[in-house]
Amino acid sequence: MMNTLPADFLWGNSVSSMQTEGAWNEGGKGMSVYDIREPKEHASDWKVATDSYHRFDEDFDLMQDLGMNCYRFQIAWSRVCPDGDGEFNDEGIAFYQRFIDGLVARGIAPMICLYHFDMPLALAEKYNGFTDRRVMDAFIRYGKKMIDCFGDQVTWWLTFNEQNLYHMPEAFLISGYMQGEKTLRELYQIQHHVMMAHAHLTHYLHETKPGKLMGGMLAHAQVYPATCKPRDVFCARQLDEFFNQNLLRAFAGQGYSPEVMAFVEREGLRDIYREEDLAALATLKNDYMAFSYYASRTLSSDPIQEGTAVNNYMRFGDTPNPHLKATEWNWQIDPLGFRSIITRYYNDWRLPVFPIENGIGVIESWDGETPVADDYRIAYHRDHINAMKEAIFEDGAQVIGYLGWGLIDILSSQGDMRKRYGVVYVNRENHDLKDLRRVPKKSYAWLKRAIHSNGEEM
């Protein structure tokens, strides 16, 4: 495929603060829930990460050399507001100002994400995270402050990383939830409070910073029915509605899905949804649809008992797809699923589409001399970028850009440095920081050609 992408197409990188920054007790930062997590055999602590707090200029230079013109990063809530809902930390805000200035000076557009799982510890301990509306209110206050500080300089905004994760059992790991029985009621409290925080901050950005753009982001895995058996097809469709379409409908200005709200009524959860919440949601309209994509999944209905909440289907029905290869982490590689999601997003919602995480995590080591020969990563990104181009040039989708995940190695979401996504190797292991040297891999030169040719030289 020889089609060249538009001149204003955004190429870049996505990261989170707790996986990159380090400096856990510097610059006036408060404690987050990650700062108390103990290391394990295959998981580091989060105190140093890849030390981008001190090394971001070096990383930005690599991104500039690659030709990247967009960088999605997260502001650490506890760095700018140490207890989550008290005084703001001027030193933390000044750090992110230097960070943004460094990007802009290199022609790299900043994209700010306000939350990537690292709840300030004080809010988690006091209120049990997003189960409590007071945490929602604190997050809105923090988000408004960041918009006030950086909204004139930053065009691209996100509230929550992978917002549909708050509709899954994973919500209890990422929402500041510290104790309880992980009930269905608590799950729906978390997801609704997160959604309302997103709605209020979207309205605030549009009111105070005209021309600045707010997106909503999903962790989107194409889910296939295991067979053509009607119940497999039906359960896969239900899962898509509860995990994906429900939020996409809200992002596009339609409010929550009628199917989801019917379930809410049946389960006696309707009191969670205040009338003023639904009124604010009714006027919500995102500027673009963002998502992460790594793999597709397949659902068998056989192990799912009648009466199981849709939110829990994957706990029972997740099954391997015999037609796809998988990584060592059993993530099944499926570029066609990537194309399908992009095309459907634009067909259904007519809002610009922005895939902002895509990549392959692999166990890799460096011998200290020879660049890592990661041909598998070249193949993965080539096939997914080509699938995106097919969605654009053959299916008519409007796509803003393509951001890879962690294209400079970072800790995985579980803290495992073995799972590397980058085209740049960072010289550290889980329990040995070594020298944290940045070393381009074989894929670095390939990606540089791809970006500098705007997707023509693949």
Side-chain angles (χ1 to χ4, degrees):
M1 178 180 293
M2 297 299 292
N3 304 81
T4 303
L5 292 160
D8 60 352
F9 194 80
L10 296 179
W11 295 94
N13 190 14
S14 284
V15 299
S16 78
S17 64
M18 87 277 189
Q19 293 167 274
T20 56
E21 276 185 13
W24 69 285
N25 61 352
E26 297 182 45
K29 181 183 176 297
M31 296 279 281
S32 87
V33 292
Y34 278 82
D35 296 327
I36 63 170
R37 293 190 180 179
E38 296 292 333
K40 301 177 182 177
E41 180 184 1
H42 294 309
S44 172
D45 63 30
W46 303 86
K47 291 179 168 55
V48 176
T50 56
D51 197 30
S52 72
Y53 185 85
H54 300 107
R55 297 171 179 253
F56 67 80
D57 280 314
E58 179 182 358
D59 293 339
F60 292 176
D61 286 344
L62 287 164
M63 289 187 276
Q64 184 180 29
D65 180 63
L66 279 165
M68 291 181 177
N69 57 2
C70 185
Y71 184 52
R72 175 205 159 204
F73 67 96
Q74 176 224 344
I75 291 175
W77 187 353
S78 60
R79 189 174 295 285
V80 297
C81 187
D83 67 4
D85 195 25
E87 294 295 320
F88 285 98
N89 174 28
D90 290 339
E91 190 173 354
I93 293 172
F95 165 74
Y96 288 111
Q97 186 62 67
R98 294 193 301 274
F99 197 91
I100 291 167
D101 289 343
L103 291 169
V104 172
R106 292 169 175 83
I108 301 171
M111 172 188 278
I112 288 179
C113 177
L114 292 169
Y115 187 79
H116 199 125
F117 313 155
D118 59 341
M119 174 72 63
L121 183 61
L123 293 180
E125 291 180 334
K126 187 174 183 179
Y127 298 121
N128 213 23
F130 277 111
T131 59
D132 196 302
R133 288 186 73 99
R134 286 169 290 190
V135 172
M136 177 192 81
D137 292 337
F139 181 80
I140 293 169
R141 174 177 175 266
Y142 145 68
K144 287 180 175 179
K145 177 69 171 180
M146 296 303 98
I147 290 169
D148 291 344
C149 288
F150 306 123
D152 291 335
Q153 203 170 8
V154 176
T155 296
W156 303 95
W157 291 81
L158 290 168
T159 49
F160 294 92
N161 177 70
E162 298 180 328
Q163 192 170 328
N164 57 340
L165 294 184
Y166 299 95
H167 297 224
M168 307 177 193
E170 288 90 337
F172 297 110
L173 298 174
I174 62 176
S175 63
Y177 188 90
M178 298 288 281
Q179 59 184 347
E181 298 180 3
K182 300 179 181 178
T183 65
L184 190 68
R185 169 170 283 273
E186 289 173 316
L187 179 62
Y188 274 75
Q189 286 172 330
I190 290 168
Q191 64 178 259
H192 179 60
H193 296 160
V194 165
M195 185 67 224
M196 292 316 304
H198 170 80
H200 285 294
L201 289 174
T202 301
H203 290 315
Y204 187 77
L205 180 71
H206 289 162
E207 291 163 3
T208 62
K209 306 295 179 183
K212 307 304 182 182
L213 305 175
M214 182 70 82
M217 181 194 178
L218 305 188
H220 205 132
Q222 181 82 4
V223 177
Y224 302 115
T227 71
C228 58
K229 182 167 58 179
R231 188 166 184 257
D232 281 357
V233 176
F234 181 76
C235 287
R237 185 209 59 77
Q238 279 187 304
L239 192 75
D240 182 52
E241 188 65 35
F242 276 68
F243 282 3
N244 302 317
Q245 304 308 316
N246 178 47
L247 277 178
L248 294 172
R249 294 183 200 287
F251 292 156
Q254 296 183 359
Y256 288 131
S257 161
E259 184 176 4
V260 172
M261 293 307 292
F263 174 81
V264 164
E265 292 281 359
R266 291 197 306 275
E267 295 296 321
L269 306 174
R270 181 61 176 78
D271 59 294
I272 295 171
Y273 301 78
R274 298 181 181 179
E275 292 307 318
E276 61 267 28
D277 293 348
L278 299 180
L281 200 60
T283 58
L284 175 68
K285 188 67 175 289
N286 281 7
D287 300 299
Y288 61 97
M289 296 294 202
F291 68 97
S292 65
Y293 180 86
Y294 298 92
S296 61
R297 302 175 74 179
T298 303
L299 183 70
S300 170
S301 65
D302 290 344
I304 301 173
Q305 295 184 0
E306 291 290 344
T308 300
V310 177
N311 308 77
N312 294 321
Y313 277 4
M314 272 298 178
R315 294 175 60 183
F316 306 103
D318 199 5
T319 189
N321 188 328
H323 305 290
L324 296 172
K325 295 179 180 179
T327 71
E328 19 201 344
W329 311 96
N330 203 31
W331 289 22
Q332 298 201 275
I333 301 169
D334 183 12
L336 189 59
F338 188 48
R339 174 181 175 178
S340 295
I341 291 169
I342 293 171
T343 300
R344 184 177 178 192
Y345 270 36
Y346 196 65
N347 281 346
D348 286 356
W349 310 113
R350 312 298 169 87
L351 289 171
V353 183
F354 203 167
I356 60 173
E357 287 184 28
N358 181 237
I360 182 171
V362 179
I363 295 176
E364 295 170 326
S365 60
W366 178 52
D367 64 9
E369 296 181 4
T370 309
V372 175
D374 55 341
D375 295 274
Y376 43 82
R377 182 167 290 107
I378 294 171
Y380 181 95
H381 283 287
R382 181 194 64 228
D383 293 347
H384 283 75
I385 292 170
N386 278 333
M388 174 188 67
K389 289 169 69 176
E390 289 165 353
I392 295 168
F393 295 113
E394 297 183 22
D395 304 340
Q398 181 183 345
V399 179
I400 294 168
Y402 174 88
L403 307 187
W405 173 252
L407 291 176
I408 296 173
D409 283 346
I410 63 177
L411 292 175
S412 79
S413 60
Q414 304 304 313
D416 192 350
M417 197 67 201
R418 297 177 307 152
K419 190 178 186 183
R420 295 176 181 269
Y421 285 87
V423 300
V424 175
Y425 188 90
V426 174
N427 192 32
R428 67 154 289 182
E429 305 295 342
N430 277 328
H431 308 299
D432 183 358
L433 293 177
K434 299 186 176 181
D435 60 5
L436 292 164
R437 180 178 169 188
R438 275 65 165 153
V439 185
K441 304 175 189 177
K442 182 178 179 180
S443 57
Y444 182 96
W446 172 85
L447 184 61
K448 184 175 179 178
R449 289 194 303 273
I451 294 176
H452 280 270
S453 68
N454 222 14
E456 185 172 341
E457 292 185 30
M458 297 295 296

